[in-house]
Amino acid sequence: MLYRALRSLSSYLNKMVPEVVFVLGAPGAGKGTQCSLISKEYGFVHLSAGDLLREERQRPGSEYGEMIEQCIRNGEIVPVEVTCSLLHKAMQKSGQTRFLVDGFPRNKDNLEGWTREMADKTKLLFVLFFECSKDLCTERCLGRGAAGSGRSDDNLESLMKRFNTYLNDTMPIIEHYEKQGLVRKINAEVAPDQVFEEVKKAFNQCGLEKLNN
Ligand code: C5P
Ligand code: MG
C-alpha cells in the first residue's frame, strides 16, 4: 500500500522534472527556424539564450545592458550567471515542462554554470547539433542582416568573431556531449523542411510524440 503510494508519487514527481533539449550549431545554421517548427509540432517551449540576452539588453534599468551589447558585438559569451538566470526565470514563467534551450551551453563557463545550477533540476534528453559550413552560415547571416534583422552582429566583422568563438569554445562542448552519446547531428545545409524531417527522427527516436493538431 505504502509502496504503491510512493511509486505513484515518484512517477508524478518524475513527470514534473523539466525536460530539456539543447540546440547548438554555428551562427546561421538555422537553430531558431528549426526551434519554431519543433515547438509547433511537439509543444516544446523555445527559449533562445541569444533572444533572452537581447531582451535583457533592452530592459530599462538592466545593470547588464551594456555588457551584453559589448559581448554580442564581439561575438563573446556573456557570463553564465546572467544567461542561466534568464533561462531559469523564463522556464519558471512558462509553467511548462519541456524546453528547447537554443544557443546554450556555448562554452565551458555556460556548461559549468548549468551543471551547478540546473542539471539536478532538469533532465537533458539530447543535444541537437545543426551542422552547416562556414560559407553557407555566413551567407545566411549576411542575408538576414541585409533583410533587416536589426541585429548588431549580423555583419562580417562580428560574424568572424562569432565563428571563432563557435570553433574554439562551442565545438568542445558538442564533443563533450558526443562522448556521452547525447548528440543528434543534423545536416543543416538543405532546405528547412528537409532539415525538419531529420529533426523529427531524433524526436521520434526519443519517444516524443507530436501534438494532436
Ligand atoms: O544564438 P545567437 O546567435 O542569437 O547569439 C547571439 C549572441 O548572444 C552570441 O554571439 C553571444 O554574444 C550571445 N550569447 C551568449 N551566450 C549564449 C548565447 C548567446 O553570450 N549562451
Ligand atoms: Mg538564434
Side-chain angles (χ1 to χ4, degrees):
M1 176 72 180
L2 179 65
Y3 175 70
R4 217 186 289 163
L6 282 175
R7 258 189 53 164
S8 64
L9 177 67
S10 138
S11 125
Y12 173 75
L13 288 175
N14 260 330
K15 284 198 195 100
M16 303 303 294
V17 174
E19 294 177 326
V20 167
V21 171
F22 287 144
V23 182
L24 294 173
K31 304 184 291 290
T33 306
Q34 292 301 318
C35 282
S36 29
L37 295 171
I38 300 164
S39 120
K40 266 187 222 134
E41 199 137 335
Y42 291 90
F44 277 62
V45 177
H46 175 203
L47 298 178
S48 153
D51 286 350
L52 288 168
L53 288 166
R54 283 183 284 271
E55 220 174 86
E56 174 65 20
R57 175 188 61 183
Q58 297 312 117
R59 191 174 62 81
S62 166
E63 56 181 308
Y64 304 117
E66 244 170 73
M67 180 271 287
I68 293 174
E69 175 56 17
Q70 284 279 335
C71 284
I72 287 182
R73 265 183 201 278
N74 292 316
E76 286 164 5
I77 305 302
V78 171
V80 69
E81 288 71 21
V82 175
T83 317
C84 200
S85 131
L86 292 172
L87 285 168
H88 192 189
K89 274 190 228 153
M91 287 169 80
Q92 284 181 319
K93 197 171 148 203
S94 76
Q96 301 288 308
T97 52
R98 282 182 163 169
F99 301 95
L100 294 166
V101 177
D102 161 8
F104 184 96
R106 269 296 227 279
N107 65 3
K108 200 159 171 271
D109 175 58
N110 275 190
L111 176 61
E112 286 172 357
W114 178 270
T115 306
R116 236 177 5 248
E117 301 294 329
M118 298 298 291
D120 287 350
K121 302 186 186 111
T122 54
K123 178 172 186 237
L124 176 62
L125 299 178
F126 54 89
V127 179
L128 269 184
F129 167 36
F130 292 109
E131 207 176 30
C132 189
S133 73
K134 185 176 174 179
D135 283 354
L136 187 52
C137 284
T138 307
E139 193 184 307
R140 286 180 184 168
C141 289
L142 292 179
R144 185 167 75 182
S149 71
R151 283 179 56 155
S152 57
D153 59 351
D154 279 342
N155 57 73
L156 203 51
E157 201 189 332
S158 294
L159 264 171
M160 293 301 128
K161 295 176 179 166
R162 290 162 71 191
F163 261 103
N164 280 341
T165 303
Y166 168 70
L167 290 176
N168 297 330
D169 301 340
T170 311
M171 277 314 291
I173 305 304
I174 296 168
E175 282 154 17
H176 160 86
Y177 285 121
E178 214 151 30
K179 283 188 203 126
Q180 299 178 21
L182 282 169
V183 173
R184 307 289 178 266
K185 197 197 288 190
I186 311 270
N187 172 18
E189 301 209 331
V190 290
D193 55 337
Q194 279 172 278
V195 178
F196 191 50
E197 286 306 313
E198 294 305 306
V199 168
K200 280 196 266 192
K201 285 185 197 160
F203 276 76
N204 296 343
Q205 268 163 19
C206 192
L208 296 161
E209 291 183 7
K210 288 190 199 173
L211 295 175
N212 300 317
N213 57 13

